[in-house]
Amino acid sequence: KTVLKIVRPHYNDAKIDVLVRVIDPVETGKIDFNTFRMQMPKVLQTSLRSARQSTRNSLLLESLAFFIAIANLIYVLLLSSALNFLMLANLIFPLGSVIVFFGLLEVTLRIRPFRSLQTLSTTRHVFLDGLAIIAGLMSLVGLIAHSVDKNQGLQALLLGRAIDMIRVLRFSSIFRSIIDRTGDVLPALVGPIALVITSLHIYTYSGMAIWGGAVTTGKHSDDLAPLYDLNNFNEYPSGLLTMFNIFVVNDWHVIASVY
């Protein structure tokens, strides 16, 4: 067993146990050197055949993933274009159903939730696989809702397919590295982000205490002016919006001159 772990270091314990049973079928626990020498080539040949089959299945899965990514990209582009002109309006939901089905099948095979799929050698990524699952479920909801409300179903389907466009970036090693590095950096940003949110919260309530009710809304009749009615401290949502505008330096001097 120790020798097998050395010559096949990437095998888990279950695979090693199977190979040990090939050498020692009666499970005596020990064999002589001559038997070991004769059985070892057989074991290695068996493991190579298994590896070739696993590699073939993994390549098929990667091909399926690439096909779905490209098909989904083309589907979203067509869905966002003049479908009536392209005479594809009646194919929106049939094509969407096929793409959603194979998309969910691909991500299921990739994450290998069942023991029978453990032989697949796939590259799993928590962020990308999670988005693929969310996109697939959202699109599935859209397909189901289509029978009740066609417009809402179409919106949910399109939103899910738009999120799933990130599948294309899975094949970019640079993009995967960016996501991995982002995951390393985000924990360090929790403290500063919490400080900013807390500060906005405190200043919003301070503004409500000082200037609550100072701005009378609804007095403007043109199209643009009513938007400025939102910059007040009459209630918490408006106060938070006002503080956010100040935070991003959006006309902060104009807002300051009002108060």
Side-chain angles (χ1 to χ4, degrees), residues 67-82:
F67 171 78
I68 293 172
I70 299 302
N72 183 71
L73 177 63
I74 296 174
Y75 177 78
V76 173
L77 293 177
L78 291 177
L79 193 61
S80 304
S81 62

Side-chain angles (χ1 to χ4, degrees), residues 1-21 43 47 50-51 54 112 114-122 124:
K1 193 169 184 177
T2 303
V3 174
L4 289 175
K5 286 186 176 182
I6 294 175
V7 297
R8 289 291 182 268
H10 57 288
Y11 277 18
N12 56 30
D13 291 337
K15 289 184 178 180
I16 293 295
D17 290 340
V18 171
L19 296 181
V20 168
R21 284 195 292 272
V43 169
S47 64
S50 175
S54 176
R112 293 171 286 167
F114 308 110
R115 181 179 296 273
S116 59
L117 300 175
Q118 294 301 313
T119 56
L120 288 175
S121 177
T122 58
R124 291 182 286 189

Side-chain angles (χ1 to χ4, degrees), residues 15 48-65 105-106 109-110 112 116-123:
K15 289 184 178 180
L48 287 174
R49 287 199 301 268
S50 175
R52 284 197 294 269
Q53 180 64 31
S54 176
T55 302
R56 187 183 302 111
N57 293 338
S58 300
L59 289 175
L60 289 175
L61 181 59
E62 289 300 318
S63 301
L64 175 63
L105 175 63
E106 185 272 333
L109 294 175
R110 182 176 296 280
R112 293 171 286 167
S116 59
L117 300 175
Q118 294 301 313
T119 56
L120 288 175
S121 177
T122 58
T123 302

